[in-house]
Amino acid sequence: MLDEAVRPAALRPGDTVMLVSPSGPTRPERVARGVELLTGWGLHVRVGAHAYARSGFFAGEDALRVADLNAALADPRVRGVICTRGGYGAQRVVDAIDMAAVRRDPKVVVGFSDITAVQLALWRGARLATIHGPGAAWVDERTPEQSAQSLRAALMGTEPVVVKRDPAEETARVSVPGTARGPLLGGNLSLLTSSVGTPDMPDLAGAILLVEEVDEPPYKVDRMLTHLRRAGVLRGLAGVAVGQFTNCADGWPVTVADVLADRLGDLGVPVLGGLPIGHGHGQVTVPVGTPATLDVAAGVLTVEPAVR
Amino acid sequence: MLDEAVRPAALRPGDTVMLVSPSGPTRPERVARGVELLTGWGLHVRVGAHAYARSGFFAGEDALRVADLNAALADPRVRGVICTRGGYGAQRVVDAIDMAAVRRDPKVVVGFSDITAVQLALWRGARLATIHGPGAAWVDERTPEQSAQSLRAALMGTEPVVVKRDPAEETARVSVPGTARGPLLGGNLSLLTSSVGTPDMPDLAGAILLVEEVDEPPYKVDRMLTHLRRAGVLRGLAGVAVGQFTNCADGWPVTVADVLADRLGDLGVPVLGGLPIGHGHGQVTVPVGTPATLDVAAGVLTVEPAVR
């Protein structure tokens, strides 16, 4: 039996949010559009002390990245923690997250991709419901107006989030009929796989697993799903919500949809592909950690809000 | 305390070896040179029934690949099982390996890369010492005469295998002084990482870990090593033998040697980089599963033979 999620308060106009970079580096000009959007929704945007730091492929050394994250999580004036982007590096620091601060004052945490590692850690350490959505390094070409509205609704609204299968998505034909209900958990497949055998791997029994990926060829997606299967972490799953698998083609005559159908199709649970959640065009924001319903016939994933 | 390895009999002229393809597909012309070498050493080469099968990126469907492997392992006339190549696919079938046959009649098993999965399974299921070396899909440009002699010595000789650090290898500067002794376990880093949380992940306490990789950018090597660290599987390690990390550069100003130095340098155990073991030029063959000594000052890894 899964614990109930802790839901932070919805953001309201006048609230302060903090931009942090737990993974890869960014620059002020790259988050300018994100800041503009957040400001336009009435939020005050502060930037973490080291959000623009650089050290190799990280946004500054481990100690700086987690210091920013912990400063944002501990500051009572900060109501939302917005990751600028993913990249790589969160798993190096998540064991140093100040979980006492998170439990004392749960707040909205937004991001995806490498930030899945932060979200899995917050789920483990504080049962915090978080928000799987674009970071502040916003690009209108990938995430146009409807993506902005989706993020705003997940941050500031308290209605369930409804995501419909997009028949144009490459994974749309990945489908096992049925309906499922359980907390939506997961995110980026690489990060989930890199959590196997660590305390951050969530107990997926009774859960709906969300998976999305970018820039991984089909054989590596096969390897990751095979790893999850062999590690036993998919046992007792309620269903699978398949998001975008972006730039996941290579030269072989096997598509990522073939691989997903093969590795997820025989689990004996409903699977809904084609959800516009991930690194692709028109990314929709979804809560993670809260109860969800997967209705494959209707092609709809409905998720209770992460905020209250 | 690790169990002692089971050592198969060394191959002798007149023995029969079987070529199998548990992972990716190959063609007769691609193994021609390997067959020529093996035949030249006095071995009779048989080809598995489905060694040239194809199904997507696999050498035939799962059932065919493991059927070939099990046929070779069970046939008393076959004294050596030579994998044609790696690729991807072994983890999909290793749980169906006939371990009773392996325990009943242990034989030489050769391969590397994706075949690490087979070797980890054989270690788990039968404590079989195996041989980490080139497959039958032999290319003289990558594995010239000295590589052939190294494979022959590991298959047909019973002397310890001595591998010297090559200062020209990219990982040669990855070094933590000291000496270590323990069974040599490991192989391809991706495959090792994909075994975390499965029964095939070996207990590395007291062991010397062998790692090599190909075609993975530094940040992914960092992620894999971070995964192993966070999963606790490196606790109690005796030392690390760092092989070739081939084609592991990307556009970032961080090299794979930087990453290896960072993630392995603080484990508190000797680390010897620059070993010509892996996907690079001049690959040396080494036993896995048998006692080894790592002498960083001398730049030498010495491994007891896999055969008796």
Side-chain angles (χ1 to χ4, degrees):
Chain A
M1 187 64 188
L2 289 155
D3 301 343
E4 200 165 330
V6 172
R7 300 181 191 210
L11 295 180
R12 292 167 304 181
D15 280 349
T16 294
V17 297
M18 177 85 86
L19 306 194
V20 296
S21 303
S23 305
T26 191
R27 298 182 194 281
E29 61 271 27
R30 294 201 179 147
V31 302
R33 176 62 179 142
V35 170
E36 182 181 44
L37 283 170
L38 295 166
T39 305
W41 302 338
L43 301 169
H44 295 294
V45 178
R46 283 169 54 196
V47 178
H50 310 100
Y52 303 132
R54 290 188 167 244
S55 175
F57 37 65
F58 305 117
E61 295 187 0
D62 292 353
L64 300 185
R65 300 200 311 285
V66 77
D68 270 23
L69 195 52
N70 283 337
L73 291 167
D75 186 338
R77 290 160 302 182
V78 172
R79 303 319 314 154
V81 180
I82 317 266
C83 297
T84 58
R85 56 165 297 213
Y88 167 69
Q91 283 177 325
R92 291 174 58 109
V93 304
V94 291
D95 295 322
I97 290 177
D98 180 358
M99 289 297 169
V102 178
R103 287 188 290 258
R104 193 168 58 237
D105 180 15
K107 52 191 71 168
V108 172
V109 177
V110 190
F112 79 116
S113 196
D114 199 59
I115 306 304
T116 291
V118 174
Q119 294 171 325
L120 292 176
L122 293 169
W123 177 254
R124 164 198 172 199
R127 280 294 178 266
L128 186 71
T130 57
I131 291 181
H132 185 280
W138 192 278
V139 179
D140 281 330
E141 287 67 32
R142 188 181 79 81
T143 44
E145 178 61 19
Q146 67 268 32
S147 294
Q149 288 310 321
S150 169
L151 176 59
R152 182 184 186 173
L155 290 175
M156 307 185 77
T158 52
E159 295 296 307
V161 170
V162 178
V163 188
K164 292 184 182 162
R165 168 169 44 200
D166 178 351
E169 286 286 346
E170 187 182 359
T171 66
R173 68 180 174 83
V174 181
S175 177
V176 175
T179 60
R181 186 161 173 78
L184 186 69
L185 292 173
N188 183 265
L189 179 59
S190 289
L191 274 293
L192 200 71
T193 308
S194 300
S195 301
V196 172
T198 79
D200 286 342
M201 183 69 215
D203 178 358
L204 295 175
I208 296 173
L209 174 63
L210 171 66
V211 286
E212 67 84 27
E213 194 50 271
V214 63
D215 292 337
E216 296 289 349
Y219 87 88
K220 286 192 177 176
V221 172
D222 191 304
R223 184 162 71 197
M224 290 189 277
L225 293 172
T226 298
H227 186 188
L228 296 180
R229 290 168 69 111
R230 296 189 70 230
V233 299
L234 302 186
R235 276 197 287 267
L237 209 60
V240 186
V242 179
Q244 294 165 321
F245 279 68
T246 308
N247 296 330
C248 287
D250 62 6
W252 290 87
V254 177
T255 67
V256 74
D258 293 334
V259 165
L260 291 162
D262 175 63
R263 295 278 82 183
L264 300 173
D266 64 352
L267 295 176
V269 300
V271 178
L272 174 58
L275 296 167
I277 300 168
H279 287 75
H281 188 266
Q283 179 184 5
V284 167
T285 295
V286 287
V288 284
T290 55
T293 305
L294 196 68
D295 182 338
V296 178
V300 173
L301 170 70
T302 308
V303 195
E304 296 293 316
V307 295
R308 56 178 168 75
Chain B
M1 187 64 189
L2 290 156
D3 301 344
E4 202 166 329
V6 172
R7 299 181 192 210
L11 296 180
R12 293 168 304 179
D15 279 350
T16 293
V17 297
M18 175 88 84
L19 307 192
V20 297
S21 303
S23 304
T26 191
R27 299 182 193 281
E29 61 270 27
R30 294 203 177 145
V31 302
R33 176 61 178 141
V35 170
E36 183 180 41
L37 283 170
L38 295 165
T39 305
W41 303 337
L43 300 170
H44 294 293
V45 178
R46 284 169 52 195
V47 178
H50 310 100
Y52 303 132
R54 291 189 166 242
S55 175
F57 37 65
F58 305 118
E61 296 187 0
D62 291 353
L64 300 185
R65 300 199 312 284
V66 78
D68 270 22
L69 194 53
N70 284 336
L73 292 167
D75 186 338
R77 293 160 300 183
V78 172
R79 303 318 315 153
V81 181
I82 317 266
C83 297
T84 59
R85 57 166 297 212
Y88 167 70
Q91 283 178 325
R92 291 175 57 109
V93 304
V94 291
D95 296 321
I97 290 176
D98 180 359
M99 290 296 170
V102 178
R103 287 187 291 259
R104 192 166 59 236
D105 181 15
K107 52 191 72 168
V108 172
V109 177
V110 189
F112 79 116
S113 196
D114 199 59
I115 306 305
T116 291
V118 174
Q119 293 170 325
L120 292 176
L122 292 170
W123 178 253
R124 164 198 172 198
R127 279 295 177 267
L128 186 70
T130 56
I131 292 181
H132 185 279
W138 193 277
V139 179
D140 281 329
E141 287 67 33
R142 188 180 78 80
T143 45
E145 179 61 20
Q146 67 266 34
S147 293
Q149 289 309 321
S150 169
L151 176 60
R152 181 184 186 172
L155 289 175
M156 306 185 77
T158 53
E159 294 297 306
V161 170
V162 178
V163 188
K164 292 183 183 160
R165 168 170 42 201
D166 178 350
E169 286 286 346
E170 187 181 1
T171 66
R173 67 180 174 83
V174 181
S175 178
V176 176
T179 59
R181 185 161 172 82
L184 186 70
L185 291 173
N188 183 264
L189 180 59
S190 289
L191 274 292
L192 199 69
T193 308
S194 299
S195 300
V196 172
T198 78
D200 286 342
M201 182 71 215
D203 179 357
L204 296 175
I208 296 174
L209 174 64
L210 170 67
V211 286
E212 66 84 29
E213 193 50 271
V214 63
D215 292 337
E216 296 289 350
Y219 87 89
K220 286 191 178 176
V221 173
D222 191 304
R223 184 162 71 197
M224 290 189 277
L225 293 172
T226 298
H227 186 189
L228 295 181
R229 290 168 69 111
R230 296 189 70 230
V233 299
L234 303 186
R235 276 197 288 266
L237 209 60
V240 186
V242 179
Q244 295 165 320
F245 279 69
T246 308
N247 295 332
C248 287
D250 62 7
W252 290 87
V254 177
T255 67
V256 73
D258 294 334
V259 166
L260 290 162
D262 175 62
R263 297 278 83 182
L264 299 174
D266 64 353
L267 295 176
V269 299
V271 178
L272 175 58
L275 296 168
I277 300 169
H279 287 76
H281 187 266
Q283 180 184 5
V284 167
T285 295
V286 287
V288 285
T290 54
T293 305
L294 196 68
D295 182 338
V296 178
V300 172
L301 170 71
T302 308
V303 195
E304 296 294 317
V307 295
R308 54 177 170 76

